[in-house]
Amino acid sequence: MNNENPVDILVIGTGLAGLSLALRLSGHGRRITILAKGTLTEGSSLYAQGGIAAAIGRQDSYESHVEDTIAAGAGLCRPEAVEYIVRRGPENIQWLTDQGVEFDRQCAVAGQEDFHLSREGGHALRRVVHAQDATGRAVETTLEAKARSHPDICVMEHSIALDLITSTKLSLDAPERCLGAYILDLKRNRIYPLAARVVAIATGGAAKTYLYTSNPDTSTGDGIAMAWRAGCRIANMEFVQFHPTCLYHPHAKSFLISEAVRGEGGRLLLPDGSTFMQEHDARGELAPRDIVARAIDYEMKRHGCDCVYLDISDKPAEYIRQHFPNIYERCLAFNIDISKEPIPVVPAAHYTCGGVLTNLQGRTDLVDLYVIGEAASTGLHGANRLASNSLLECLVLAESASEDIITRLAASRSTRAELPSWDESQVTDPDEQVVVSHNWDELRRFMWDYVGIVRTTKRLKRAQRRIGLLQEEIRDFYSNFRVGNDLLELRNLVCVAELIVLSALRRQESRGLHYMLDFPNESPNPRDTVLIPGNFSGHCPAPTW
Ligand code: FAD
Ligand code: SIN
């Protein structure tokens, strides 16, 4: 298939959301192209450790999973979204199993095998289906093989979507809709337009906005920024989830120590060996993430220490190696034997709870643009995501969006538009690459310092002023120089940082992941923060959210 031929469906992103969507769309006589920034599997999904939450255990129920999700979401979950996604959990685990994913099993009753379920913070009981401590790898590599071999799917790696193309941007005298996207082909170093009848964004989150993060380099918020520039509303961006336990070691870039370690009895310790979580929450180590991350942040500041410790060493070494083989090996590579000693850990930016406002089919404000996965805001997570609900959401929304897209394409006679080439006639090669990397660094550092786990209005405003300065420089760069990956990512990161800060300033209360020292109480009327772009047309059928 020629890459530049128009396609029926363009899926931007090949994490669990994008790959599941492409596979669900295949087999319907549609031509699907999937784009990945780097190699096909690189993205947060690949690094998922704990697993996928689903009410599958004999003692479990949908009601209990719904209740835990809503409790973690601190008043902002949309109950219809929670109900919809939770109820489709078990069938989606079955779908993954049918694709060939091998989850851990256990023999529950003699002769009967069941999934082994692990426990994570905020869940009332064991509910997380997993493949050892490397669930993401098992899922991604299985789906990758399927996608690569499917004749309906064209895989384009090292290809970055720059911006969406809409009828308004082309000044067409036609109803507002998404027509395709401009793509930067990194290998051939050129930009071209790709027309599609439907575009689906599945580009993941934006945790790279922060200096310390558990996320890989792909999480630069590209999809959220593109949708915002195309006129879509963005919701609840202030709710940035910090994972409580990332390995603290100068050479361990972004390595997570799964919450499942606490689920199996791991205890958090101060440098002197004393425990502290009970002083912060009666659920101790298994309190929801916002509480645990804030408690660690508080204790680190109180004691002036660089990290706290997570100790699972009272379990037998064999048990640890069996349950957490990757974490065990990775720590050992840094001379930490977790079966004998505690692991140094710190919180790090982990998950973007907000995103592009969508309905439960992934529809956005822009006709023919869908957004699913971490880039979307469906209402499932509210003010704080419950552990292991993200992969679940990727799967369920891929299923529902695929059904909607197939029905829509069958019913619509929309054709693919002729798109203009990317205009590079006015630009030159950049001569100040160092400025781009300096700005990257500066942004991520002040976001960590001023827009982190604990916030104040003064710090947020300080961040806002710096974002304004960066935006000016980026505008200048973007219009005068040939764009490359670093500049594109910086432009998107700064855009998303602005959305986070704007949302945080609007929320004059403390709720879930958003903690303000100058507004420490929760307001009695929980409300979503919905940002409306200047070019919001309001003409499109808005998602019913
Ligand atoms: P991703 O998996 O991040 O994929 C994004 C894709 O978009 C990539 O293919 C990337 O190349 C592509 N992309 C991005 N921008 C562009 C662009 N401009 N052009 C083209 N392509 C682009 N959640 C759970 O539920 N359970 C867990 O156990 C769990 N563990 C986690 C452990 C770690 C270390 C991390 C980082 C996250 C974890 N999460 C977990 C969260 C979860 O993994 C993510 O929320 C989820 O994988 C997001 O999936 P996604 O498909 O939306 O995006
Ligand atoms: C983990 O394994 O701790 C990550 C789970 C998640 O982010 O949902």
Side-chain angles (χ1 to χ4, degrees), residues 8-9 25 30 175-178 197-199 361-364 366-370 400-414 540-541:
D8 290 313
I9 307 150
L25 289 166
R30 300 293 176 189
E176 175 66 333
R177 55 178 276 252
C178 186
R197 291 178 65 192
V198 165
V199 176
Q361 281 66 47
R363 287 191 188 197
T364 66
L366 182 59
V367 171
D368 292 335
L369 176 69
Y370 289 71
S400 61
S402 69
E403 288 165 4
D404 198 60
I405 292 169
I406 294 298
T407 312
R408 192 170 161 70
L409 285 181
S412 106
R413 291 212 304 272
S414 72
C540 303

PDB file of all heavy atoms in Angstrom, residues 8-9 25 30 175-178 197-199 361-364 366-370 400-414 540-541:
ATOM      1  N   ASP A   8      -9.001   4.995   4.565  1.00  0.00           N
ATOM      2  CA  ASP A   8     -10.311   5.156   5.195  1.00  0.00           C
ATOM      3  C   ASP A   8     -10.135   5.668   6.615  1.00  0.00           C
ATOM      4  O   ASP A   8     -10.782   6.617   7.034  1.00  0.00           O
ATOM      5  CB  ASP A   8     -11.051   3.812   5.211  1.00  0.00           C
ATOM      6  CG  ASP A   8     -11.488   3.403   3.813  1.00  0.00           C
ATOM      7  OD1 ASP A   8     -12.040   4.261   3.108  1.00  0.00           O
ATOM      8  OD2 ASP A   8     -11.263   2.241   3.422  1.00  0.00           O
ATOM      9  N   ILE A   9      -9.248   4.991   7.354  1.00  0.00           N
ATOM     10  CA  ILE A   9      -9.097   5.351   8.766  1.00  0.00           C
ATOM     11  C   ILE A   9      -7.610   5.515   9.089  1.00  0.00           C
ATOM     12  O   ILE A   9      -6.810   4.608   8.825  1.00  0.00           O
ATOM     13  CB  ILE A   9      -9.697   4.251   9.677  1.00  0.00           C
ATOM     14  CG1 ILE A   9     -11.145   3.959   9.266  1.00  0.00           C
ATOM     15  CG2 ILE A   9      -9.634   4.678  11.152  1.00  0.00           C
ATOM     16  CD1 ILE A   9     -11.579   2.539   9.525  1.00  0.00           C
ATOM     17  N   LEU A  25     -11.038  -2.753  13.903  1.00  0.00           N
ATOM     18  CA  LEU A  25     -11.554  -2.181  12.651  1.00  0.00           C
ATOM     19  C   LEU A  25     -11.273  -3.074  11.453  1.00  0.00           C
ATOM     20  O   LEU A  25     -11.912  -2.940  10.408  1.00  0.00           O
ATOM     21  CB  LEU A  25     -10.903  -0.813  12.392  1.00  0.00           C
ATOM     22  CG  LEU A  25     -11.314   0.353  13.290  1.00  0.00           C
ATOM     23  CD1 LEU A  25     -10.350   1.519  13.131  1.00  0.00           C
ATOM     24  CD2 LEU A  25     -12.741   0.801  12.977  1.00  0.00           C
ATOM     25  N   ARG A  30     -12.055  -2.105   5.131  1.00  0.00           N
ATOM     26  CA  ARG A  30     -11.585  -0.708   5.212  1.00  0.00           C
ATOM     27  C   ARG A  30     -10.063  -0.679   5.231  1.00  0.00           C
ATOM     28  O   ARG A  30      -9.431  -1.562   5.814  1.00  0.00           O
ATOM     29  CB  ARG A  30     -12.106  -0.036   6.488  1.00  0.00           C
ATOM     30  CG  ARG A  30     -13.612   0.009   6.581  1.00  0.00           C
ATOM     31  CD  ARG A  30     -14.177   0.908   5.516  1.00  0.00           C
ATOM     32  NE  ARG A  30     -15.637   0.901   5.504  1.00  0.00           N
ATOM     33  CZ  ARG A  30     -16.371   1.474   4.567  1.00  0.00           C
ATOM     34  NH1 ARG A  30     -15.789   2.068   3.541  1.00  0.00           N
ATOM     35  NH2 ARG A  30     -17.673   1.446   4.618  1.00  0.00           N
ATOM     36  N   PRO A 175     -19.195  21.685   5.706  1.00  0.00           N
ATOM     37  CA  PRO A 175     -19.324  21.549   7.164  1.00  0.00           C
ATOM     38  C   PRO A 175     -17.986  21.194   7.795  1.00  0.00           C
ATOM     39  O   PRO A 175     -17.170  20.504   7.179  1.00  0.00           O
ATOM     40  CB  PRO A 175     -20.321  20.393   7.331  1.00  0.00           C
ATOM     41  CG  PRO A 175     -20.987  20.246   6.012  1.00  0.00           C
ATOM     42  CD  PRO A 175     -20.043  20.760   4.971  1.00  0.00           C
ATOM     43  N   GLU A 176     -17.785  21.686   9.019  1.00  0.00           N
ATOM     44  CA  GLU A 176     -16.521  21.467   9.727  1.00  0.00           C
ATOM     45  C   GLU A 176     -16.317  19.981  10.013  1.00  0.00           C
ATOM     46  O   GLU A 176     -17.174  19.334  10.624  1.00  0.00           O
ATOM     47  CB  GLU A 176     -16.545  22.282  11.036  1.00  0.00           C
ATOM     48  CG  GLU A 176     -15.382  22.095  11.973  1.00  0.00           C
ATOM     49  CD  GLU A 176     -14.055  22.604  11.410  1.00  0.00           C
ATOM     50  OE1 GLU A 176     -13.885  22.636  10.198  1.00  0.00           O
ATOM     51  OE2 GLU A 176     -13.178  22.925  12.243  1.00  0.00           O
ATOM     52  N   ARG A 177     -15.212  19.426   9.546  1.00  0.00           N
ATOM     53  CA  ARG A 177     -14.872  18.046   9.886  1.00  0.00           C
ATOM     54  C   ARG A 177     -13.360  17.836   9.757  1.00  0.00           C
ATOM     55  O   ARG A 177     -12.655  18.672   9.197  1.00  0.00           O
ATOM     56  CB  ARG A 177     -15.644  17.037   9.038  1.00  0.00           C
ATOM     57  CG  ARG A 177     -15.535  17.178   7.526  1.00  0.00           C
ATOM     58  CD  ARG A 177     -16.312  16.072   6.833  1.00  0.00           C
ATOM     59  NE  ARG A 177     -15.525  14.868   6.738  1.00  0.00           N
ATOM     60  CZ  ARG A 177     -15.001  14.415   5.583  1.00  0.00           C
ATOM     61  NH1 ARG A 177     -15.219  15.022   4.444  1.00  0.00           N
ATOM     62  NH2 ARG A 177     -14.277  13.315   5.567  1.00  0.00           N
ATOM     63  N   CYS A 178     -12.922  16.711  10.261  1.00  0.00           N
ATOM     64  CA  CYS A 178     -11.499  16.385  10.175  1.00  0.00           C
ATOM     65  C   CYS A 178     -11.245  15.686   8.840  1.00  0.00           C
ATOM     66  O   CYS A 178     -11.971  14.760   8.473  1.00  0.00           O
ATOM     67  CB  CYS A 178     -11.116  15.475  11.343  1.00  0.00           C
ATOM     68  SG  CYS A 178      -9.357  15.175  11.424  1.00  0.00           S
ATOM     69  N   ARG A 197     -10.871   9.378   5.857  1.00  0.00           N
ATOM     70  CA  ARG A 197     -12.293   9.684   6.114  1.00  0.00           C
ATOM     71  C   ARG A 197     -12.543   9.818   7.616  1.00  0.00           C
ATOM     72  O   ARG A 197     -13.424  10.545   8.037  1.00  0.00           O
ATOM     73  CB  ARG A 197     -13.176   8.598   5.505  1.00  0.00           C
ATOM     74  CG  ARG A 197     -13.144   8.649   3.979  1.00  0.00           C
ATOM     75  CD  ARG A 197     -13.971   7.558   3.375  1.00  0.00           C
ATOM     76  NE  ARG A 197     -15.395   7.702   3.662  1.00  0.00           N
ATOM     77  CZ  ARG A 197     -16.291   6.752   3.428  1.00  0.00           C
ATOM     78  NH1 ARG A 197     -15.914   5.589   2.912  1.00  0.00           N
ATOM     79  NH2 ARG A 197     -17.561   6.948   3.720  1.00  0.00           N
ATOM     80  N   VAL A 198     -11.768   9.061   8.382  1.00  0.00           N
ATOM     81  CA  VAL A 198     -11.857   9.172   9.842  1.00  0.00           C
ATOM     82  C   VAL A 198     -10.437   9.200  10.403  1.00  0.00           C
ATOM     83  O   VAL A 198      -9.577   8.447   9.946  1.00  0.00           O
ATOM     84  CB  VAL A 198     -12.622   7.974  10.444  1.00  0.00           C
ATOM     85  CG1 VAL A 198     -12.419   7.878  11.942  1.00  0.00           C
ATOM     86  CG2 VAL A 198     -14.115   8.060  10.131  1.00  0.00           C
ATOM     87  N   VAL A 199     -10.200  10.061  11.390  1.00  0.00           N
ATOM     88  CA  VAL A 199      -8.907  10.068  12.090  1.00  0.00           C
ATOM     89  C   VAL A 199      -9.169   9.699  13.552  1.00  0.00           C
ATOM     90  O   VAL A 199     -10.099  10.238  14.174  1.00  0.00           O
ATOM     91  CB  VAL A 199      -8.233  11.460  12.018  1.00  0.00           C
ATOM     92  CG1 VAL A 199      -6.945  11.477  12.844  1.00  0.00           C
ATOM     93  CG2 VAL A 199      -7.941  11.847  10.575  1.00  0.00           C
ATOM     94  N   GLN A 361     -18.104   6.575  22.725  1.00  0.00           N
ATOM     95  CA  GLN A 361     -17.671   5.978  21.462  1.00  0.00           C
ATOM     96  C   GLN A 361     -16.385   6.657  20.985  1.00  0.00           C
ATOM     97  O   GLN A 361     -15.942   6.411  19.859  1.00  0.00           O
ATOM     98  CB  GLN A 361     -18.759   6.128  20.385  1.00  0.00           C
ATOM     99  CG  GLN A 361     -19.914   5.132  20.494  1.00  0.00           C
ATOM    100  CD  GLN A 361     -20.736   5.362  21.749  1.00  0.00           C
ATOM    101  OE1 GLN A 361     -21.096   6.500  22.046  1.00  0.00           O
ATOM    102  NE2 GLN A 361     -20.989   4.300  22.491  1.00  0.00           N
ATOM    103  N   GLY A 362     -15.829   7.529  21.796  1.00  0.00           N
ATOM    104  CA  GLY A 362     -14.587   8.213  21.428  1.00  0.00           C
ATOM    105  C   GLY A 362     -14.806   9.411  20.522  1.00  0.00           C
ATOM    106  O   GLY A 362     -13.846  10.008  20.032  1.00  0.00           O
ATOM    107  N   ARG A 363     -16.088   9.783  20.253  1.00  0.00           N
ATOM    108  CA  ARG A 363     -16.331  10.957  19.401  1.00  0.00           C
ATOM    109  C   ARG A 363     -15.922  12.234  20.114  1.00  0.00           C
ATOM    110  O   ARG A 363     -16.110  12.364  21.322  1.00  0.00           O
ATOM    111  CB  ARG A 363     -17.818  11.075  19.070  1.00  0.00           C
ATOM    112  CG  ARG A 363     -18.294  10.055  18.082  1.00  0.00           C
ATOM    113  CD  ARG A 363     -19.690  10.431  17.619  1.00  0.00           C
ATOM    114  NE  ARG A 363     -20.258   9.368  16.809  1.00  0.00           N
ATOM    115  CZ  ARG A 363     -21.295   9.533  16.011  1.00  0.00           C
ATOM    116  NH1 ARG A 363     -21.893  10.709  15.945  1.00  0.00           N
ATOM    117  NH2 ARG A 363     -21.752   8.519  15.307  1.00  0.00           N
ATOM    118  N   THR A 364     -15.408  13.189  19.341  1.00  0.00           N
ATOM    119  CA  THR A 364     -14.999  14.487  19.900  1.00  0.00           C
ATOM    120  C   THR A 364     -15.905  15.585  19.361  1.00  0.00           C
ATOM    121  O   THR A 364     -16.863  15.307  18.643  1.00  0.00           O
ATOM    122  CB  THR A 364     -13.554  14.814  19.484  1.00  0.00           C
ATOM    123  OG1 THR A 364     -13.548  15.003  18.061  1.00  0.00           O
ATOM    124  CG2 THR A 364     -12.590  13.704  19.841  1.00  0.00           C
ATOM    125  N   LEU A 366     -15.115  17.477  17.031  1.00  0.00           N
ATOM    126  CA  LEU A 366     -14.871  17.631  15.592  1.00  0.00           C
ATOM    127  C   LEU A 366     -15.362  16.374  14.873  1.00  0.00           C
ATOM    128  O   LEU A 366     -14.916  15.251  15.190  1.00  0.00           O
ATOM    129  CB  LEU A 366     -13.353  17.824  15.384  1.00  0.00           C
ATOM    130  CG  LEU A 366     -12.861  18.047  13.962  1.00  0.00           C
ATOM    131  CD1 LEU A 366     -13.495  19.292  13.345  1.00  0.00           C
ATOM    132  CD2 LEU A 366     -11.338  18.195  13.974  1.00  0.00           C
ATOM    133  N   VAL A 367     -16.251  16.555  13.916  1.00  0.00           N
ATOM    134  CA  VAL A 367     -16.795  15.402  13.180  1.00  0.00           C
ATOM    135  C   VAL A 367     -15.646  14.641  12.505  1.00  0.00           C
ATOM    136  O   VAL A 367     -14.726  15.248  11.953  1.00  0.00           O
ATOM    137  CB  VAL A 367     -17.822  15.893  12.120  1.00  0.00           C
ATOM    138  CG1 VAL A 367     -18.227  14.752  11.192  1.00  0.00           C
ATOM    139  CG2 VAL A 367     -19.047  16.474  12.811  1.00  0.00           C
ATOM    140  N   ASP A 368     -15.719  13.313  12.576  1.00  0.00           N
ATOM    141  CA  ASP A 368     -14.725  12.397  11.997  1.00  0.00           C
ATOM    142  C   ASP A 368     -13.391  12.377  12.734  1.00  0.00           C
ATOM    143  O   ASP A 368     -12.417  11.798  12.244  1.00  0.00           O
ATOM    144  CB  ASP A 368     -14.494  12.668  10.495  1.00  0.00           C
ATOM    145  CG  ASP A 368     -15.736  12.316   9.682  1.00  0.00           C
ATOM    146  OD1 ASP A 368     -16.524  11.477  10.154  1.00  0.00           O
ATOM    147  OD2 ASP A 368     -15.919  12.880   8.595  1.00  0.00           O
ATOM    148  N   LEU A 369     -13.337  12.991  13.898  1.00  0.00           N
ATOM    149  CA  LEU A 369     -12.159  12.845  14.766  1.00  0.00           C
ATOM    150  C   LEU A 369     -12.564  12.097  16.026  1.00  0.00           C
ATOM    151  O   LEU A 369     -13.480  12.516  16.749  1.00  0.00           O
ATOM    152  CB  LEU A 369     -11.573  14.206  15.170  1.00  0.00           C
ATOM    153  CG  LEU A 369     -10.391  14.074  16.156  1.00  0.00           C
ATOM    154  CD1 LEU A 369      -9.176  13.464  15.462  1.00  0.00           C
ATOM    155  CD2 LEU A 369     -10.015  15.413  16.773  1.00  0.00           C
ATOM    156  N   TYR A 370     -11.880  10.983  16.280  1.00  0.00           N
ATOM    157  CA  TYR A 370     -12.088  10.201  17.506  1.00  0.00           C
ATOM    158  C   TYR A 370     -10.826  10.305  18.354  1.00  0.00           C
ATOM    159  O   TYR A 370      -9.720  10.435  17.818  1.00  0.00           O
ATOM    160  CB  TYR A 370     -12.337   8.720  17.164  1.00  0.00           C
ATOM    161  CG  TYR A 370     -13.689   8.469  16.515  1.00  0.00           C
ATOM    162  CD1 TYR A 370     -13.940   8.888  15.209  1.00  0.00           C
ATOM    163  CD2 TYR A 370     -14.700   7.829  17.208  1.00  0.00           C
ATOM    164  CE1 TYR A 370     -15.183   8.662  14.622  1.00  0.00           C
ATOM    165  CE2 TYR A 370     -15.945   7.603  16.622  1.00  0.00           C
ATOM    166  CZ  TYR A 370     -16.175   8.026  15.335  1.00  0.00           C
ATOM    167  OH  TYR A 370     -17.405   7.819  14.760  1.00  0.00           O
ATOM    168  N   SER A 400     -15.735   0.163  21.429  1.00  0.00           N
ATOM    169  CA  SER A 400     -16.925   0.965  21.132  1.00  0.00           C
ATOM    170  C   SER A 400     -16.662   1.943  19.983  1.00  0.00           C
ATOM    171  O   SER A 400     -17.531   2.153  19.128  1.00  0.00           O
ATOM    172  CB  SER A 400     -17.419   1.696  22.379  1.00  0.00           C
ATOM    173  OG  SER A 400     -16.423   2.569  22.849  1.00  0.00           O
ATOM    174  N   ALA A 401     -15.456   2.522  19.919  1.00  0.00           N
ATOM    175  CA  ALA A 401     -15.149   3.455  18.820  1.00  0.00           C
ATOM    176  C   ALA A 401     -15.148   2.701  17.494  1.00  0.00           C
ATOM    177  O   ALA A 401     -15.645   3.202  16.481  1.00  0.00           O
ATOM    178  CB  ALA A 401     -13.799   4.122  19.057  1.00  0.00           C
ATOM    179  N   SER A 402     -14.601   1.483  17.489  1.00  0.00           N
ATOM    180  CA  SER A 402     -14.539   0.738  16.217  1.00  0.00           C
ATOM    181  C   SER A 402     -15.951   0.468  15.701  1.00  0.00           C
ATOM    182  O   SER A 402     -16.227   0.629  14.511  1.00  0.00           O
ATOM    183  CB  SER A 402     -13.755  -0.563  16.379  1.00  0.00           C
ATOM    184  OG  SER A 402     -14.484  -1.460  17.194  1.00  0.00           O
ATOM    185  N   GLU A 403     -16.858   0.124  16.588  1.00  0.00           N
ATOM    186  CA  GLU A 403     -18.241  -0.140  16.142  1.00  0.00           C
ATOM    187  C   GLU A 403     -18.857   1.131  15.559  1.00  0.00           C
ATOM    188  O   GLU A 403     -19.516   1.113  14.524  1.00  0.00           O
ATOM    189  CB  GLU A 403     -19.081  -0.638  17.329  1.00  0.00           C
ATOM    190  CG  GLU A 403     -18.703  -2.057  17.741  1.00  0.00           C
ATOM    191  CD  GLU A 403     -19.232  -2.460  19.129  1.00  0.00           C
ATOM    192  OE1 GLU A 403     -19.962  -1.676  19.763  1.00  0.00           O
ATOM    193  OE2 GLU A 403     -18.873  -3.561  19.566  1.00  0.00           O
ATOM    194  N   ASP A 404     -18.602   2.243  16.247  1.00  0.00           N
ATOM    195  CA  ASP A 404     -19.167   3.517  15.787  1.00  0.00           C
ATOM    196  C   ASP A 404     -18.578   3.922  14.435  1.00  0.00           C
ATOM    197  O   ASP A 404     -19.297   4.384  13.542  1.00  0.00           O
ATOM    198  CB  ASP A 404     -18.875   4.584  16.848  1.00  0.00           C
ATOM    199  CG  ASP A 404     -19.757   5.805  16.689  1.00  0.00           C
ATOM    200  OD1 ASP A 404     -20.994   5.642  16.764  1.00  0.00           O
ATOM    201  OD2 ASP A 404     -19.231   6.903  16.457  1.00  0.00           O
ATOM    202  N   ILE A 405     -17.275   3.727  14.286  1.00  0.00           N
ATOM    203  CA  ILE A 405     -16.611   4.138  13.038  1.00  0.00           C
ATOM    204  C   ILE A 405     -17.114   3.291  11.867  1.00  0.00           C
ATOM    205  O   ILE A 405     -17.419   3.805  10.788  1.00  0.00           O
ATOM    206  CB  ILE A 405     -15.062   4.035  13.185  1.00  0.00           C
ATOM    207  CG1 ILE A 405     -14.561   5.079  14.188  1.00  0.00           C
ATOM    208  CG2 ILE A 405     -14.372   4.190  11.840  1.00  0.00           C
ATOM    209  CD1 ILE A 405     -13.102   4.917  14.611  1.00  0.00           C
ATOM    210  N   ILE A 406     -17.223   1.999  12.076  1.00  0.00           N
ATOM    211  CA  ILE A 406     -17.672   1.106  10.997  1.00  0.00           C
ATOM    212  C   ILE A 406     -19.095   1.480  10.559  1.00  0.00           C
ATOM    213  O   ILE A 406     -19.385   1.598   9.371  1.00  0.00           O
ATOM    214  CB  ILE A 406     -17.606  -0.377  11.453  1.00  0.00           C
ATOM    215  CG1 ILE A 406     -16.145  -0.801  11.679  1.00  0.00           C
ATOM    216  CG2 ILE A 406     -18.286  -1.315  10.463  1.00  0.00           C
ATOM    217  CD1 ILE A 406     -15.258  -0.735  10.454  1.00  0.00           C
ATOM    218  N   THR A 407     -19.956   1.723  11.540  1.00  0.00           N
ATOM    219  CA  THR A 407     -21.339   2.096  11.225  1.00  0.00           C
ATOM    220  C   THR A 407     -21.363   3.434  10.490  1.00  0.00           C
ATOM    221  O   THR A 407     -22.071   3.613   9.501  1.00  0.00           O
ATOM    222  CB  THR A 407     -22.161   2.242  12.534  1.00  0.00           C
ATOM    223  OG1 THR A 407     -21.896   1.106  13.331  1.00  0.00           O
ATOM    224  CG2 THR A 407     -23.641   2.351  12.277  1.00  0.00           C
ATOM    225  N   ARG A 408     -20.567   4.348  10.973  1.00  0.00           N
ATOM    226  CA  ARG A 408     -20.544   5.696  10.399  1.00  0.00           C
ATOM    227  C   ARG A 408     -20.037   5.676   8.958  1.00  0.00           C
ATOM    228  O   ARG A 408     -20.607   6.326   8.080  1.00  0.00           O
ATOM    229  CB  ARG A 408     -19.614   6.544  11.275  1.00  0.00           C
ATOM    230  CG  ARG A 408     -19.687   7.979  11.013  1.00  0.00           C
ATOM    231  CD  ARG A 408     -18.958   8.792  12.050  1.00  0.00           C
ATOM    232  NE  ARG A 408     -18.715  10.091  11.471  1.00  0.00           N
ATOM    233  CZ  ARG A 408     -19.681  10.976  11.228  1.00  0.00           C
ATOM    234  NH1 ARG A 408     -20.919  10.702  11.568  1.00  0.00           N
ATOM    235  NH2 ARG A 408     -19.405  12.123  10.666  1.00  0.00           N
ATOM    236  N   LEU A 409     -18.980   4.913   8.720  1.00  0.00           N
ATOM    237  CA  LEU A 409     -18.434   4.867   7.361  1.00  0.00           C
ATOM    238  C   LEU A 409     -19.436   4.227   6.399  1.00  0.00           C
ATOM    239  O   LEU A 409     -19.568   4.642   5.250  1.00  0.00           O
ATOM    240  CB  LEU A 409     -17.113   4.093   7.330  1.00  0.00           C
ATOM    241  CG  LEU A 409     -15.905   4.835   7.901  1.00  0.00           C
ATOM    242  CD1 LEU A 409     -14.648   3.978   7.799  1.00  0.00           C
ATOM    243  CD2 LEU A 409     -15.678   6.155   7.173  1.00  0.00           C
ATOM    244  N   ALA A 410     -20.151   3.212   6.892  1.00  0.00           N
ATOM    245  CA  ALA A 410     -21.119   2.534   6.024  1.00  0.00           C
ATOM    246  C   ALA A 410     -22.270   3.482   5.681  1.00  0.00           C
ATOM    247  O   ALA A 410     -22.823   3.417   4.578  1.00  0.00           O
ATOM    248  CB  ALA A 410     -21.650   1.285   6.724  1.00  0.00           C
ATOM    249  N   ALA A 411     -22.589   4.371   6.621  1.00  0.00           N
ATOM    250  CA  ALA A 411     -23.763   5.238   6.412  1.00  0.00           C
ATOM    251  C   ALA A 411     -23.410   6.534   5.679  1.00  0.00           C
ATOM    252  O   ALA A 411     -24.277   7.175   5.102  1.00  0.00           O
ATOM    253  CB  ALA A 411     -24.382   5.582   7.765  1.00  0.00           C
ATOM    254  N   SER A 412     -22.104   6.914   5.704  1.00  0.00           N
ATOM    255  CA  SER A 412     -21.784   8.244   5.163  1.00  0.00           C
ATOM    256  C   SER A 412     -21.216   8.116   3.744  1.00  0.00           C
ATOM    257  O   SER A 412     -20.569   7.125   3.396  1.00  0.00           O
ATOM    258  CB  SER A 412     -20.786   8.955   6.074  1.00  0.00           C
ATOM    259  OG  SER A 412     -19.522   8.983   5.488  1.00  0.00           O
ATOM    260  N   ARG A 413     -21.448   9.166   2.958  1.00  0.00           N
ATOM    261  CA  ARG A 413     -20.900   9.143   1.596  1.00  0.00           C
ATOM    262  C   ARG A 413     -19.722  10.115   1.495  1.00  0.00           C
ATOM    263  O   ARG A 413     -19.319  10.497   0.421  1.00  0.00           O
ATOM    264  CB  ARG A 413     -21.994   9.532   0.600  1.00  0.00           C
ATOM    265  CG  ARG A 413     -23.099   8.469   0.483  1.00  0.00           C
ATOM    266  CD  ARG A 413     -23.669   8.448  -0.927  1.00  0.00           C
ATOM    267  NE  ARG A 413     -24.170   9.762  -1.335  1.00  0.00           N
ATOM    268  CZ  ARG A 413     -25.404  10.200  -1.098  1.00  0.00           C
ATOM    269  NH1 ARG A 413     -26.257   9.424  -0.454  1.00  0.00           N
ATOM    270  NH2 ARG A 413     -25.787  11.403  -1.500  1.00  0.00           N
ATOM    271  N   SER A 414     -19.190  10.524   2.679  1.00  0.00           N
ATOM    272  CA  SER A 414     -18.100  11.505   2.647  1.00  0.00           C
ATOM    273  C   SER A 414     -16.911  10.936   1.872  1.00  0.00           C
ATOM    274  O   SER A 414     -16.573   9.761   2.006  1.00  0.00           O
ATOM    275  CB  SER A 414     -17.666  11.867   4.069  1.00  0.00           C
ATOM    276  OG  SER A 414     -16.982  10.784   4.635  1.00  0.00           O
ATOM    277  N   CYS A 540     -20.496  21.392  15.522  1.00  0.00           N
ATOM    278  CA  CYS A 540     -20.468  19.934  15.435  1.00  0.00           C
ATOM    279  C   CYS A 540     -21.334  19.347  16.537  1.00  0.00           C
ATOM    280  O   CYS A 540     -21.485  19.952  17.590  1.00  0.00           O
ATOM    281  CB  CYS A 540     -19.058  19.430  15.641  1.00  0.00           C
ATOM    282  SG  CYS A 540     -17.930  20.133  14.489  1.00  0.00           S
ATOM    283  N   PRO A 541     -21.871  18.155  16.283  1.00  0.00           N
ATOM    284  CA  PRO A 541     -22.598  17.509  17.363  1.00  0.00           C
ATOM    285  C   PRO A 541     -21.634  17.201  18.502  1.00  0.00           C
ATOM    286  O   PRO A 541     -20.745  16.373  18.356  1.00  0.00           O
ATOM    287  CB  PRO A 541     -23.134  16.232  16.732  1.00  0.00           C
ATOM    288  CG  PRO A 541     -22.391  16.062  15.458  1.00  0.00           C
ATOM    289  CD  PRO A 541     -21.786  17.366  15.082  1.00  0.00           C
TER     290      PRO A 541
END
